[in-house]
Amino acid sequence: MGEKMLVFEGITKIFNQGTQDEKRALNQIDFDINAGDYITIIGSNGAGKSTLLNVIAGTYPPEEGRLIIDQQDVTKMPDYKMAAYLSRVFQSPTMGTAGKMTIAENLSLAECRGKKRGLKWGVTRARKKRYGELLKVLELGLEDRLNQSVGLLSGGQRQSLTLLMATLSLPKLLLLDEHTAALDPRTAAKVSELTDRMVAENNLTTLMVTHNMKQAIRCGNRMIMLHEGKVQFDIKGKDKESLTVEEVVKRFGAKLKDESLLA
Amino acid sequence: MVVLSVLPISLQQGLAYALVALGIALTFRVLAFPDLTVDGSFPLGGAVAARLIVQGVDPILSTLAALVAGFIAGCLTGILNTRLKINSLLAGILMMTILYSVNLRIMARANIQLLYRPTVFTSMENMDVVRFIPIIIFFFVITVFVKILVDLFLHTEYGMALRATGDNEDMIRSLGVNTDNATIFGLGLSNAMVALSGALVAQDQGFADVGMGIGMIVAGLASIIIGEAIIKPKTVFRLTLAAVAGSVMYRFIISLGLRLGLAPTDLKMATGFMVILALGVPAFKKTREGKDHLRGV
Ligand SMILES: Nc1ncnc2c1ncn2[C@@H]1O[C@H](COP(=O)(O)OP(=O)(O)OP(=O)(O)O)[C@@H](O)[C@H]1O
Ligand SMILES: [Mg+2]
């Protein structure tokens, strides 16, 4: 396998430290991720899945531990600087796009992710042409609507666009937090398929949180289960390929306690 | 007849104050930051320009210095908000209040007369035409120039990041933009325009006064609201156009009102009612569009 893309060393995240509401959302997490890994993350509500991604993205600095991306210590880096390394797609389609700006402008914003932004023209003719071609792949007809506001798109269209934006300038890490959960089943399936395709085509190192057990088992080469801020279960390679829903339920059903996961 | 007779004055004033409306559009609409610094940065521009002119500095240089002063004032409001985490409205009010004293210090008294001093308008006053014609042309050129600059800037990579900061801050942060710096810079730019307007208005009217900024935000908001009622601000170009056109229309309505018997002392009240009406009616109708319209206000 390739070199380590991401290393967690004893990462602990405590919310409201020293108050009555103190909450240890991540508890001494150690693990590493190889370049090209596509990891699915499951766990019941409040297990710490979103917190894990937020710590990676620099949204929440950890109380303890070190975070290393591509051999660089990024533990103390603020969120906007982490953008140079990673792209994110969130659950709500409105979170990942600027609704009052056009499709082309949103794509251009994403193309400059983590780079210096100066007084160069944002949506150039060459960029527009390229965006049109990229949007064709989505088969949503968005290539003809480059100058329309993103706010006019449906949730599924918007989420597909966000996914395209996330991969426009290739990140070292792609973080997906239940990015299909807010969509209807058919759209969710399409966005999920698009995700797999983009990850495979670009060989992206990816972490995907999902509440859908089937999706977690079908996608990726490794699966992690979080429980009360700890990694409970880490399965990869051949074991992951032969994993079934029944097996996971048999071993961890009691801990999952989450109807939607077992659905 | 009455309508025609107030046309020159409303054009002149509307264009002179259009830069204020542009500045307010940039903060309230683009950045979604309700910046109240304006009431202080407008007289700041007037004060700086007037003081320097009286000191014998070239009027154009004095005007540029006013612009820089406005930029700094706006940045300071941004710093209060982003670095010291002071609520945006309060940050503006604090700055506005502080600027009142600063303006008095700059002028060393409550007002400065510029009647017999050289100003940027001096050469136009010596022309052989009615005074308002070259002045209107001058303000028109300046306003259009600034409007186009703002339009262009907001389509550059950094300008788009600024727009995204007002639209979806979390998103643009996750794309690598330090939104605190973007906010500070945007506020600086806005107040630079406002101070430029203050400097030019002071030279046009022949004096700078510490009270010349009172009610400037409300007047600017009224302008924007009137403009947007006629020109839907669907694009940046239309947003800035609405601000400029709205400023002229607002001054036209005010001049007409004064001509028809509105007491000058009631002017700010009338403007206030205009804004309340414009903001209140959509909320009363409970339309979704109405809510959207309130963004940043
Ligand atoms: N900003 C915050 N302040 C305080 N507590 C928080 C914060 N964010 C998360 N928590 C707490 O940390 C724990 C883990 O939350 P997290 O959002 O990571 O869960 P999750 O696994 O993503 O759950 P879900 O499946 O519901 O999305 C929860 O107990 C939550 O209440
Ligand atoms: Mg979550």
Side-chain angles (χ1 to χ4, degrees):
Chain A
M1 283 301 283
E3 75 279 21
K4 305 261 176 283
M5 180 56 87
L6 178 76
V7 181
F8 273 75
E9 287 180 8
I11 291 277
T12 298
K13 177 69 213 168
I14 308 168
F15 287 111
N16 306 315
Q17 194 169 21
T19 71
Q20 247 180 338
D21 304 323
E22 183 167 302
K23 170 81 202 170
R24 214 168 251 268
L26 296 177
N27 197 357
Q28 292 287 334
I29 297 221
D30 287 295
F31 72 88
D32 24 80
I33 296 171
N34 291 318
D37 269 355
Y38 179 4
I39 301 174
T40 57
I41 303 174
I42 57 168
S44 50
N45 292 112
K49 306 180 295 295
S50 298
T51 306
L52 185 79
L53 297 198
N54 280 324
V55 165
I56 298 175
T59 314
Y60 301 139
E63 267 66 40
E64 287 167 29
R66 287 203 322 151
L67 184 69
I68 293 150
I69 292 185
D70 215 11
Q71 282 141 45
Q72 253 195 297
D73 189 330
V74 295
T75 319
K76 298 231 157 64
M77 220 179 242
D79 53 354
Y80 64 89
K81 284 201 178 143
M82 288 305 293
Y85 299 96
L86 50 89
S87 291
R88 307 185 72 175
V89 184
F90 301 94
Q91 179 170 350
S92 158
T94 54
M95 276 179 81
T97 42
K100 297 220 162 53
M101 298 174 73
T102 67
I103 294 180
E105 285 171 339
N106 270 276
L107 284 161
S108 164
L109 287 172
E111 187 169 349
C112 296
R113 179 178 50 77
K115 300 191 187 111
K116 218 170 154 45
R117 291 163 206 259
L119 294 179
K120 271 185 291 179
W121 198 250
V123 182
T124 57
R125 202 171 292 231
R127 278 187 174 166
K128 233 173 169 170
K129 188 154 167 277
R130 185 161 154 251
Y131 298 158
E133 277 155 20
L134 288 168
L135 284 165
K136 271 199 196 114
V137 179
L138 301 183
E139 292 170 2
L140 293 168
L142 297 184
E143 61 274 14
D144 303 320
R145 302 171 65 180
L146 277 170
N147 292 327
Q148 281 184 19
S149 307
V150 168
L152 300 171
L153 303 183
S154 71
Q157 289 171 332
R158 220 163 150 165
Q159 202 67 330
S160 306
L161 175 65
T162 312
L163 205 56
L164 185 65
M165 285 164 61
T167 53
L168 195 52
S169 100
L170 288 179
K172 285 192 195 297
L173 262 178
L174 177 63
L175 306 181
L176 309 166
D177 194 350
E178 298 186 50
H179 71 302
T180 60
L183 308 174
D184 67 77
R186 247 190 63 221
T187 319
K190 275 190 75 177
V191 171
S192 174
E193 183 220 335
L194 180 68
T195 309
D196 288 351
R197 206 166 72 209
M198 286 186 161
V199 170
E201 270 171 18
N202 302 303
N203 194 28
L204 286 172
T205 312
T206 305
L207 282 130
M208 176 169 80
V209 171
T210 175
H211 267 279
N212 182 326
M213 180 72 81
K214 283 194 202 113
Q215 188 185 20
I217 288 173
R218 178 172 43 79
C219 300
N221 63 338
R222 184 171 168 193
M223 184 173 99
I224 284 172
M225 194 183 99
L226 282 184
H227 186 65
E228 292 176 350
K230 281 247 176 226
V231 176
Q232 281 286 325
F233 183 78
D234 182 352
I235 181 163
K236 44 191 146 182
K238 284 263 178 304
D239 297 338
K240 164 81 165 55
E241 276 165 39
S242 57
L243 194 67
T244 61
V245 174
E246 289 73 32
E247 198 185 330
V248 177
V249 171
K250 210 164 74 200
R251 288 175 64 181
F252 295 103
K255 276 192 180 136
L256 285 169
K257 271 191 246 140
D258 187 338
E259 306 287 316
S260 69
L261 259 175
L262 308 175
Chain B
M1 260 333 277
V2 185
V3 173
L4 273 182
S5 70
V6 298
L7 217 51
I9 184 72
S10 19
L11 255 180
Q12 181 181 338
Q13 294 203 331
L15 290 168
Y17 289 95
L19 294 174
V20 177
L22 273 176
I24 294 180
L26 187 63
T27 49
F28 277 68
R29 291 293 191 238
V30 175
L31 282 175
F33 188 111
D35 176 33
L36 304 187
T37 315
V38 177
D39 273 23
S41 56
F42 184 79
L44 173 69
V48 169
R51 177 66 194 265
L52 289 175
I53 287 173
V54 169
Q55 300 285 56
V57 178
D58 175 68
I60 294 178
L61 267 184
S62 308
T63 307
L64 289 178
L67 187 137
V68 173
F71 182 82
I72 295 170
C75 289
L76 288 175
T77 303
I79 289 170
L80 291 186
N81 174 248
T82 58
R83 301 276 193 266
L84 306 186
K85 310 287 174 214
I86 295 173
N87 164 287
S88 53
L89 285 169
L90 186 56
I93 291 172
L94 283 170
M95 205 57 216
M96 175 214 289
T97 309
I98 291 169
L99 283 175
Y100 188 84
S101 298
V102 171
N103 293 337
L104 279 172
R105 273 207 179 266
I106 290 173
M107 295 197 290
R109 62 193 114 133
N111 63 68
I112 292 181
Q113 293 295 319
L114 292 171
L115 271 183
Y116 302 105
R117 307 278 180 179
T119 68
V120 291
F121 299 102
T122 306
S123 56
M124 296 169 217
E125 274 154 4
N126 297 334
M127 282 181 193
D128 201 16
V129 283
V130 203
R131 183 178 185 269
F132 69 74
I133 292 177
I135 304 256
I136 287 177
I137 293 173
F138 173 83
F139 276 125
F140 180 80
V141 170
I142 293 270
T143 301
V144 169
F145 179 71
V146 174
K147 178 213 177 313
I148 291 174
L149 270 188
V150 171
D151 287 348
L152 291 176
F153 170 67
L154 290 177
H155 284 96
T156 62
E157 288 178 352
Y158 194 70
M160 286 195 339
L162 222 75
R163 283 159 65 200
T165 300
D167 195 337
N168 187 345
E169 185 170 349
D170 289 338
M171 171 253 194
I172 196 68
R173 265 186 97 79
S174 80
L175 291 177
V177 173
N178 183 339
T179 50
D180 290 354
N181 289 351
T183 303
I184 293 169
F185 183 72
L187 287 173
L189 221 53
S190 161
N191 284 287
M193 288 190 264
V194 173
L196 174 62
S197 178
L200 294 176
V201 165
Q203 293 174 67
D204 177 29
Q205 69 189 9
F207 66 91
D209 186 281
V210 72
M212 70 195 271
I214 297 174
M216 205 44 71
I217 295 157
V218 178
L221 277 179
S223 305
I224 290 177
I225 290 165
I226 293 168
E228 287 180 353
I230 294 168
I231 302 162
K232 279 246 173 295
K234 282 181 285 195
T235 60
V236 169
F237 180 85
R238 293 173 67 106
L239 179 82
T240 51
L241 186 66
V244 173
S247 176
V248 173
M249 281 184 273
Y250 166 73
R251 295 291 158 178
F252 177 72
I253 293 169
I254 292 295
S255 310
L256 202 61
L258 288 174
R259 194 60 65 89
L260 295 175
L262 175 74
T265 42
D266 290 339
L267 211 137
K268 297 207 193 305
M269 183 167 67
T271 306
F273 284 145
M274 235 194 272
V275 174
I276 291 173
L277 203 71
L279 293 181
V281 166
F284 192 67
K285 282 192 193 152
K286 288 208 175 80
T287 56
R288 273 187 65 93
E289 203 194 357
K291 269 201 173 147
D292 203 42
H293 200 76
L294 296 178
R295 178 169 160 232
V297 174

